[in-house]
């Protein structure tokens, strides 16, 4: 199991940051490099508890699909999306939001497990963890800029 922990500080209200993170349209814009698009489930607007979305995007030169379900939500401080179908053996992304001194601290905790035994573990160490970390950092920077610009 691999874990990625990221913290992003945003000068915007917690409600706004929470909603930007669960907005399908914003996800599409923030992941334009991989041409992410929602092909099933909630395809636009805000995703909520027990709803699903299936993403199609190009990663490592190959189009892949990833179906996620929102398995937990505490408005506006926490939600979890977990993979239901996709390339990973397991994938869980916890989104935590804490308001401090007029800012929102956004905490991403991603836990995943690769398939293919030792080959999957090697791919993870050599490429995947860094790729996913940068993917989420870029997405978070997009959300930060949007939230602070329109604040």
């Amino acid at each position: 199991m691999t874990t990625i922990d990221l913290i992003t500080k945003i000068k915007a209200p917690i409600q706004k940051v929470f909603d930007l993170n669960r907005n399908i349209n914003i996800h599409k814009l923030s992941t334009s490099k991989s041409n992410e698009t929602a092909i099933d489930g909630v395809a636009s607007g805000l995703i909520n508890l027990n709803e699903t979305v299936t993403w199609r995007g190009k990663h490592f030169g190959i189009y892949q699909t990833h179906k996620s379900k929102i398995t937990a939500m505490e408005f506006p401080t926490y939600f979890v999306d977990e993979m239901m179908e996709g390339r990973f053996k397991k994938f869980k992304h916890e989104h935590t939001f804490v308001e401090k001194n007029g800012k929102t601290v956004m905490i991403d905790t991603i836990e995943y497990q690769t398939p293919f035994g030792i080959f999957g573990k090697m791919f993870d160490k050599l490429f995947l963890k860094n790729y996913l970390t940068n993917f989420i950092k870029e997405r978070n920077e997009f959300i930060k800029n949007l939230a602070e610009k329109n604040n």
Side-chain angles (χ1 to χ4, degrees):
M1 183 85 68
T2 302
T3 302
I4 298 169
D5 292 302
L6 296 172
I7 295 174
T8 308
K9 295 177 183 174
I10 302 173
K11 295 176 191 170
I14 193 170
Q15 170 89 39
K16 177 182 249 183
V17 177
F18 181 82
D19 285 346
L20 286 172
N21 271 273
R22 63 192 186 102
N23 188 307
I24 302 298
N25 304 73
I26 298 303
H27 183 88
K28 289 178 199 176
L29 292 172
S30 69
T31 59
S32 62
K33 284 184 182 179
S34 58
N35 200 26
E36 298 255 331
T37 188
I39 60 169
D40 195 23
V42 179
S44 66
L46 300 178
I47 193 165
N48 290 296
L49 183 63
N50 294 321
E51 292 182 333
T52 64
V53 59
T54 302
W55 294 103
R56 182 177 186 269
K58 193 172 191 176
H59 301 278
F60 298 105
I62 303 166
Y63 275 98
Q64 302 177 45
T65 59
H66 181 100
K67 181 178 182 178
S68 292
K69 180 178 182 178
I70 304 300
T71 58
M73 184 176 285
E74 295 171 20
F75 191 81
T77 59
Y78 181 77
F79 74 93
V80 177
D81 62 86
E82 293 189 64
M83 184 191 76
M84 307 304 288
E85 298 171 15
R87 295 270 186 189
F88 293 91
K89 206 171 185 180
K90 178 184 177 187
F91 190 97
K92 179 180 180 181
H93 185 170
E94 293 181 86
H95 307 256
T96 305
F97 308 89
V98 179
E99 200 163 45
K100 286 186 180 178
N101 303 321
K103 295 179 184 175
T104 300
V105 178
M106 183 169 72
I107 304 160
D108 291 279
T109 303
I110 301 157
E111 295 179 334
Y112 64 91
Q113 194 171 9
T114 56
F116 311 120
I118 190 76
F119 298 109
K121 288 178 184 175
M122 286 174 47
F123 179 73
D124 184 31
K125 285 185 189 249
L126 293 172
F127 304 106
L128 185 58
K129 184 175 182 181
N130 188 51
Y131 178 84
L132 286 175
T133 299
N134 288 331
F135 183 80
I136 299 299
K137 280 182 178 178
E138 286 178 14
R139 183 178 186 283
N140 288 355
E141 191 63 26
F142 183 93
I143 288 170
K144 175 183 170 88
N145 290 336
L146 188 61
E148 291 179 347
K149 178 178 148 189
N150 295 324
N151 192 19

